[in-house]
Structure formats: C-alpha cells, structure tokens
Amino acid sequence: MNLDSSITSVKGVGEKTAELFARVGVRTVRDLLYYFPRAYEDFSRAGAISDIKPGRIVVKARVENLKLSRRRCGLTIVEASLVDGSGACRAIWFNQPYRMTAFKEGVEYYFAGEFDMGAGRYSLTNPSVEEASEVVEGGVKIQAIYRAIGKLKSRDIGRVMGKVRAVCGDMRELLPEGVVGGLMRRGEAVYQMHFGEAEEEMTRARERLGFDELFALVLAGKLNKIENQKLKAMSVKFDAERVREFVKGLPYELTGAQRRSAWEIVQDLERTVPMNRLLQGDVGSGKTVVAGLACYSAVLAGGQVAVMAPTEILAGQHAETLEKMLGGHGVKVGLLTGKSRNRKELVGKITDGDVDVVVGTHALISEGVEYRNLVLAVIDEQHRFGVKQRQKLMEKAADGAAPHLLAMTATPIPRSLQLTLFGELDVSVLDEMPKGRVEIKTEIVSPNSVEQLWEKVRVELEAGRQIYYVCSQIEESEDLDSRGDVRAVKKEFDKMRKVFTGYEVGLLHGKMTSEEKDVVMEDFVSGKVKVLVATTVVEVGVNVPNATVMVVRDADRFGLSQLHQLRGRVGRGSFQSYCYLVTSTSVKPTRRLREIEKSTDGFYLAQKDLEIRGPGEIYGAAQHGELDLKIAKVDDMALVRKATRAADEFLKSGGDLLNYEELAGIVRRYQRLTTLN
Ligand code: ADP
Ligand code: MG
C-alpha cells in the first residue's frame, strides 16, 4: 500500500465503505489522509461529575433514564442522566433521535461538550460520545473527531485512518524546498493532524498545511496577474485638456481621493495591457464620477464602454447620472436591461457604435449583443458578479483585444482578502468623503418603542424629507413565523399607510416587474412618494439625497455590511440623517447591531463582518466554497503575509511550477476560480 493506492487496499475497507468515502472525494490513501478531523476531544481531561463547572467539559459516565420528546415544530429532544461514582448530570441532544438506541446498558462512555444553563436547568448540550473502551486508556490523549459520512461514524473513520498511519511519512513536499523553510515537514504535519497528542505540535501542523493552501492561492493570483499582462488592450490616450474641462464642469470639487483614483485609472488606460482595477470606496464616497471620468476618456479615444450594475434600478440610475454627467460633452449613453422595450434598436446601435456608453444589467453580456469597439468595462458592486459573467464580458471585446476593467465596490475588502482572493487586482481607494457630509445618527430601537419612532419620522416628513422603510421578507411565511415576528413588506406597507396618513407611501420589492419597480422608484426620486417601504432591493447604490431616514425592521436579521449599505442610502445630501435599527424582539441587541451603532467606518465594519460571518458569505459564497480551503482561513493575516512573501520569492527566483506537479494542479484550479479574464 502506498499513497496512490485505492482505499480499498486498506484492510477492512470494502466496496460499501469505499463508496461512502467517494462521496466526499476520498478515493486514494492520499485523499484519505487529507480528510482532516473537524475537531478534537481531549479525553484525558475527564473529571468527576460532582466537580464540573459551566463550560467545556469531559466526563466518563453511564447513561440512565433516556427520554425522547417531540416538539410541535418538528424538533426532537433526547434527554438522559449521566451517572458516575460521584453524581449525575443532565445531557440533552437536539434532533438526534438515534441517541435513544445508541447506548448499551451499564457501559461507560466519554461525553464531551458544553455544560451550561439551558431551559432553566444546567445540562450538557449535544455532547459528542465515545465508548470508553474504544478510547485507549493512557495512550491517545487527544482524539480526532471526524465528520461522519453517512453510516460511517467518526470512530469508524478513525479506525481506517489508523491503518494508514505508517504512510504519512511518504508524503512528499508540495512546496519547493526553499519555501518550506523552517516549517514542519508536510508528512509530519499530516500525521499530527490525525494522531497528534500535543497541542503545540498540532498547532504547527495546522500552520504548515494552511500555509500550503495560502501559498497556492496567492501564487494563483500572481500568476493570473502575469497572464493578464500578456494580453493586449487598446491604449487610451489621456486627453488632459478635455478631461480638465469635464472636471471643471462638475457641480462640485473632486475630493483628493477621487483625483488620485482617477489619475491611477487614466494611467492604466494608457497602457496596452488591460487594466484590472478595483475602485473601493465606502457608500457615498463618490465612485460614480470617477467611473464617469474613465468612461469619458475611453469615449474620447473612440472606444465604447459597458457599465454593468447588479440591479435594474441601479442600472437605470447610473444611466441617468452618466447621461447628465457626459451627455453635454457629446457622449451618447444608452440603457439596456432585460426588458428594454427598444432593445432591438439599441442592440443595433451598440453594434454600429452609435452608443458610446451602454449601461445595463446582465443583459449587457447576453447573447446577440455585439460591441463595435468595447474598450472599457465598468462593473459596479463587483463581488456580486460571478467569474463566468466576467469572462463573458471579456469575450465581447473587439478582435483579440481585452477590455480594460474597472470594478467598483462599497464593501471594503480587508487587506488579507486583497492578497488572496483578489490578489490580481490593483486597488484604488476612496478614503475621503466629499465635503459637507453630516454624520448619520444611528440608533437601535426596541419594537416596543416604535410609536416614539413614528413621531421622529413625522418630524422629518413635515420638513419635506423622505423615508426608507426596509423589511426583510416579502410575505410572512409559516417557517419564518416560528422564528419570531417577521414584518412582511406588504403588511408593513398597509400599516405605514395608516401611520403616515397624508403622505404618499410606495412599495418596492424583488417580486415586482421591472416596470412596476421603475414607476415606484421614479416617484421616490422625484419626491412624489415620501415613504418607501422596501426589501433590500434598495440596498445598493440608489441615490436620493432628500431621503434622511432609514428605518430597518428586524435589523438583527441583516449582515453588518448589508446594514452599512442600507444606512448609506441616507445622508447623501447636506441634511442631518438618521438610521433606526428596529430589532425583531425586545431582547438585548446583538453584537452586530452594537458595532453598526458605534461606527460609520465601512472598513472597520467590513473587518468585523469578516470576523463574524467569514468571507464566504460576504464575497460570493460559491466562489469561495469551491476554493475548498480545508485548514487555512483567508483572513489569517499573519499567515497570508508569510505566504505572500514566499510566493513573491518563488517567482523572483524564477521558480517554475512544472517541477512541482501536485502544486501546479492546485494552483491551476485556483487560477480558474479567481481569474478575472
Ligand atoms: P458611491 O460611491 O456610493 O457610488 P455616488 O457616486 O453615488 O457614491 O456619490 C454620492 C453622492 O455624492 C452623489 O450625489 C454625488 O453627486 C455626490 N458627490 C460625488 N463626488 C462629490 C464631491 N467631490 N463633492 C460633493 N459631492 C460629491
Ligand atoms: Mg454607487
């Protein structure tokens, strides 16, 4: 048996077991060794029941008085008394009815888990269980716990793992010798992951294997960047005179950050390699005008620009803004969405080059849309677009030349992610707000005090201001009902009409047709609608400077970045603005809400969001999920730095992946998943 042997060559692994392993991609002994434990239990810490205190505990006990109860909502609860010589304690398992038949009478088991107050009593909740005789006394102290695969339980997997123990050492280094440096050897690290007995060694093992993953990820980004440098793009000559004129014609002075970013962009555009730049700036920092300036430059050079937005509302608003900004300079702006009535005519114009700047949603990259000379693509809220869509956009470019790419995002990307997931992008940052902005006042409101809130809102309405009122769901569903009182947008709409009689109330949600949405949005922009009851459709980019109040219902159901985005819809003019976060119940607000109440700094909040939710949810789950990092955390800044330095050195020293077959495979996969081209 060696690392490449099929796992059926491991003693005790038959066809059936092999099939189960195949479900999680484990086919060879090598794959098996990379099926890492999901947790560890230290059974040597087992103490007497009479001594336990709240917190993580391990006890060795017999099971008595097993009881199963079912709640109406479908929840099952197994309850038991754990008994040792010193006393007894209660254990409960939620939704694990099989526990009823899992224990043998009079047999001792180890139970490990959290001992805490729940439902009025102290109990051990969802403890993991090992039969005491299965845990080698005095031998293994720390036991690996594996994620069960169907009928294959942790213990079964551990047993199979034990049989391949000896081949860990055969594992060759994934990384070039020079890179490995002082890190633990790979084979040793893999061994430690499964059979380690000392915390310190196991920590080093995690660091080592995490480093492998991050090194490959960072290297993939850097290689993509190098590949990108080989592509040809049209050079856009910078027309200083006319651009200066454009800037002079704006109704405001550009901020220093806007000038700097615009300068970085026009310099990129002059080059014959495609720009690959992310314009990152908090909500309201003024990204649109920077993009507008880039559009103007490209058009002056005879090119076309595609401006892609994630929603139709936003596309519509961008088209309008750009028309206002550029129309007077002879630039022809068109809006192409999925339902454009004049679609055919517009597509014809795009092909003939009669439109200079085409704004739209995904319709911009749909079948049959041919550009005459696509030189620049601007993508707003870039992390909402998948890799495939970006690729399609690239294919629309004029004969063989790649378009320059400018992505914009208001969700700041923490440094660690910039180096890993977004490694190939150059970044311009708008870290300065336009002058005259008044800080938005944020307040958490208990649902018990909404009456007082309505009074505050009414004051704003009387002053002529407008209100956003955001709910999390469209209709009340039974499922959500059981989690508490979710305010359905339609019901709230009816309610708000009664609360704010005399003021026009509008309704906006994702299930409306785009025509319906447009009508409401136009009425809100024009000031006819005073209170807009909406779902998160209004989350990104919408700009109504007269709106001064953002009320978010069930605010605890939203993510931090999402709340920050929502808050960014107000405070866009010179009026004092307010954001009221109404919680779903009157219990004490979550950490997330307290963070958002405390800070208006998008960068700080993004970092917190990353800590609370992890990168997958925020920066495109699918994309990140496929990256399949088993050990490393992309937000582990120290390790990311180390991996980045190593990748730089590897490339500088002329390292060639051809000599590292296994690494090359992994890097190529990452390259495909993270590339922008
Ligand atoms: P975002 O970065 O969120 O996309 P926008 O581009 O929508 O922000 O700009 C927000 C508002 O700020 C707009 O009304 C815009 O006209 C205005 N604005 C942009 N730049 C400046 C500036 N330098 N000075 C004053 N107002 C500005
Ligand atoms: Mg914007």
Side-chain angles (χ1 to χ4, degrees):
M1 180 181 63
N2 61 42
L3 287 167
D4 294 312
S5 312
S6 155
I7 54 164
T8 50
S9 66
V10 180
K11 213 168 143 226
V13 177
E15 285 302 323
K16 281 241 168 65
T17 308
E19 255 167 51
L20 287 172
F21 271 123
R23 268 196 224 165
V24 291
V26 171
R27 293 188 175 78
T28 65
V29 171
R30 184 192 310 275
D31 297 339
L32 179 66
L33 283 169
Y34 263 75
Y35 192 74
F36 294 126
R38 68 170 170 79
Y40 299 90
E41 284 306 346
D42 184 351
F43 291 109
S44 66
R45 289 190 311 121
I49 288 179
S50 59
D51 291 343
I52 56 179
K53 293 187 187 68
R56 242 193 124 67
I57 61 155
V58 183
V59 295
K60 188 176 176 187
R62 279 171 288 113
V63 178
E64 286 176 12
N65 299 329
L66 272 168
K67 253 197 331 243
L68 176 77
S69 54
R70 280 177 207 281
R71 294 288 155 90
R72 246 192 317 160
C73 53
L75 187 73
T76 66
I77 300 175
V78 173
E79 221 185 301
S81 307
L82 308 184
V83 183
D84 71 1
S86 73
C89 72
R90 187 169 89 127
I92 46 175
W93 289 273
F94 292 105
N95 283 334
Q96 300 180 20
Y98 62 88
R99 297 284 184 196
M100 281 305 288
T101 53
F103 302 104
K104 285 171 243 160
E105 219 179 302
V107 170
E108 281 188 313
Y109 297 87
Y110 281 107
F111 297 86
E114 203 70 37
F115 184 68
D116 207 350
M117 181 76 109
R121 286 175 64 182
Y122 274 102
S123 35
L124 186 55
T125 308
N126 290 333
S128 62
V129 183
E130 287 298 328
E131 201 172 316
S133 60
E134 294 284 341
V135 180
V136 189
E137 300 272 1
V140 182
K141 288 192 188 133
I142 296 176
Q143 176 137 344
I145 309 291
Y146 296 92
R147 200 172 298 288
I149 312 167
K151 278 194 313 198
L152 217 50
K153 294 280 176 293
S154 170
R155 204 203 311 159
D156 307 322
I157 297 170
R159 209 175 281 141
V160 177
M161 210 61 84
K163 301 215 168 87
V164 298
R165 204 180 173 113
V167 291
C168 285
D170 299 347
M171 190 132 334
R172 284 206 306 195
E173 289 302 328
L174 180 69
L175 305 181
E177 236 3 84
V179 171
V180 180
L183 291 166
M184 185 181 265
R185 310 298 301 180
R186 184 187 184 196
E188 173 66 13
V190 170
Y191 180 90
Q192 288 291 336
M193 289 299 292
H194 298 289
F195 313 109
E197 293 180 20
E199 293 279 346
E200 199 186 313
E201 296 290 287
M202 290 163 75
T203 304
R204 283 185 58 212
R206 294 189 78 77
E207 187 189 3
R208 167 55 213 264
L209 296 172
F211 180 83
D212 281 4
E213 292 174 336
L214 290 177
F215 178 83
L217 187 55
V218 171
L219 190 59
K222 290 188 183 292
L223 289 173
N224 273 341
K225 195 165 189 167
I226 292 171
E227 303 262 293
N228 188 58
Q229 307 283 316
K230 291 183 193 148
L231 296 173
K232 278 251 163 305
M234 189 180 125
S235 160
V236 171
K237 276 270 156 297
F238 178 53
D239 188 333
E241 205 167 308
R242 294 174 78 177
V243 170
R244 204 169 295 138
E245 224 168 82
F246 165 82
V247 173
K248 254 199 216 141
L250 291 170
Y252 42 75
E253 288 257 312
L254 289 181
T255 63
Q258 283 172 323
R259 280 174 196 283
R260 191 171 3 93
S261 300
W263 175 241
E264 284 164 356
I265 290 164
V266 295
Q267 275 188 312
D268 276 2
L269 288 174
E270 283 206 316
R271 302 173 58 204
T272 53
V273 296
M275 167 169 76
N276 221 354
R277 186 168 286 277
L278 182 68
L279 178 61
Q280 179 182 313
D282 211 344
V283 276
S285 60
K287 294 183 288 294
T288 318
V289 68
V290 177
L293 192 148
C295 293
Y296 188 43
S297 276
V299 173
L300 284 176
Q304 270 175 316
V305 185
V307 179
M308 194 140 80
T311 64
E312 306 215 338
I313 294 175
L314 196 54
Q317 211 166 49
H318 274 331
E320 207 172 293
T321 308
L322 290 171
E323 167 65 38
K324 248 188 241 153
M325 203 181 279
L326 300 169
H329 296 274
V331 176
K332 278 168 274 170
V333 179
L335 173 64
L336 182 74
T337 63
K339 288 145 193 152
S340 287
R341 261 160 264 129
N342 57 347
R343 185 188 149 91
K344 217 168 170 184
E345 187 192 333
L346 190 58
V347 169
K349 280 186 177 170
I350 296 170
T351 311
D352 297 341
D354 284 345
V355 193
D356 304 310
V357 176
V358 197
V359 188
T361 54
H362 292 110
L364 290 185
I365 49 170
S366 58
E367 214 57 47
V369 182
E370 301 293 336
Y371 294 82
R372 182 174 167 101
N373 186 19
L374 182 63
V375 164
L376 169 66
V378 177
I379 304 180
D380 202 9
E381 284 308 317
Q382 84 99 30
H383 65 273
R384 281 159 191 267
F385 283 92
V387 171
K388 283 206 191 73
Q389 289 142 351
R390 280 179 276 174
Q391 259 156 4
K392 266 199 191 151
L393 191 56
M394 292 293 151
E395 284 159 20
K396 298 279 180 194
D399 37 55
H404 295 285
L405 190 110
L406 178 66
M408 301 195 283
T409 181
T411 311
I413 296 167
R415 186 81 189 120
S416 58
L417 295 194
Q418 254 178 50
L419 289 169
T420 51
L421 291 185
F422 296 86
E424 67 191 297
L425 291 174
D426 296 312
V427 181
S428 294
V429 184
L430 295 181
D431 51 5
E432 183 186 348
M433 283 289 169
K435 279 195 215 75
R437 291 281 159 80
V438 190
E439 183 129 318
I440 302 163
K441 293 201 170 121
T442 305
E443 202 181 301
I444 300 174
V445 179
S446 152
N448 299 334
S449 22
V450 288
E451 294 302 327
Q452 287 101 299
L453 176 55
W454 302 154
E455 286 315 307
K456 292 183 195 167
V457 171
R458 212 166 275 129
V459 171
E460 289 295 302
L461 285 170
E462 272 160 26
R465 303 286 87 80
Q466 287 163 281
I467 316 297
Y468 288 103
Y469 185 95
V470 174
C471 317
S472 63
Q473 294 295 324
I474 295 176
E475 266 157 314
E476 274 174 80
S477 72
E478 287 199 4
D479 174 42
L480 287 165
D481 252 3
S482 63
R483 289 201 281 130
D485 184 13
V486 172
R487 266 136 278 271
V489 70
K490 285 180 185 163
K491 231 185 197 168
E492 288 299 311
F493 171 63
D494 292 334
K495 227 187 272 171
M496 287 305 109
R497 279 205 289 199
K498 287 189 198 113
V499 173
F500 300 114
T501 41
Y503 294 101
E504 180 90 19
V505 180
L507 174 65
L508 182 75
H509 61 74
K511 294 237 173 94
M512 290 161 58
T513 67
S514 62
E515 285 83 13
E516 290 169 332
K517 282 192 253 181
D518 285 351
V519 171
V520 178
M521 218 42 229
E522 269 160 34
D523 287 350
F524 192 61
V525 172
S526 73
K528 186 172 156 227
V529 166
K530 300 296 183 192
V531 179
L532 184 63
V533 178
T535 55
T536 49
V537 186
V538 294
E539 183 187 339
V540 272
V542 184
N543 190 31
V544 180
N546 189 47
T548 53
V549 179
M550 166 62 69
V551 177
V552 184
R553 290 311 293 247
D554 303 312
D556 37 298
R557 293 183 202 284
F558 294 85
L560 253 183
S561 297
Q562 212 175 10
L563 288 172
H564 183 62
Q565 278 277 350
L566 285 170
R567 179 168 57 185
R569 295 307 104 223
V570 297
R572 300 176 79 84
S574 50
F575 309 110
Q576 173 63 55
S577 295
Y578 308 86
C579 175
Y580 297 107
L581 305 169
V582 186
T583 53
S584 52
T585 61
S586 50
V587 297
K588 125 179 154 237
T590 58
R591 170 164 164 221
R592 225 183 287 179
L593 293 185
R594 273 178 280 127
E595 293 287 1
I596 194 116
E597 187 182 39
K598 213 166 59 186
S599 173
T600 52
D601 179 348
F603 281 82
Y604 170 80
L605 292 170
Q607 185 61 44
K608 286 287 158 208
D609 209 14
L610 185 64
E611 282 168 31
I612 297 171
R613 290 197 301 160
E617 263 186 79
I618 313 168
Y619 301 94
Q623 207 176 324
H624 181 252
E626 284 172 55
L627 286 175
D628 192 26
L629 299 180
K630 290 196 167 101
I631 308 254
K633 298 230 174 336
V634 280
D635 55 342
D636 179 345
M637 194 58 210
L639 204 54
V640 166
R641 277 227 177 81
K642 203 164 170 175
T644 306
R645 268 198 304 273
D648 276 334
E649 262 164 44
F650 176 72
L651 290 173
K652 223 178 9 206
S653 67
D656 191 340
L657 276 180
L658 287 177
N659 303 325
Y660 307 94
E661 198 186 328
E662 196 187 347
L663 176 64
I666 298 171
V667 170
R668 264 196 299 273
R669 206 169 66 81
Y670 284 164
Q671 271 189 279
R672 274 197 305 276
L673 287 169
T674 58
T675 185
L676 287 175
N677 307 312

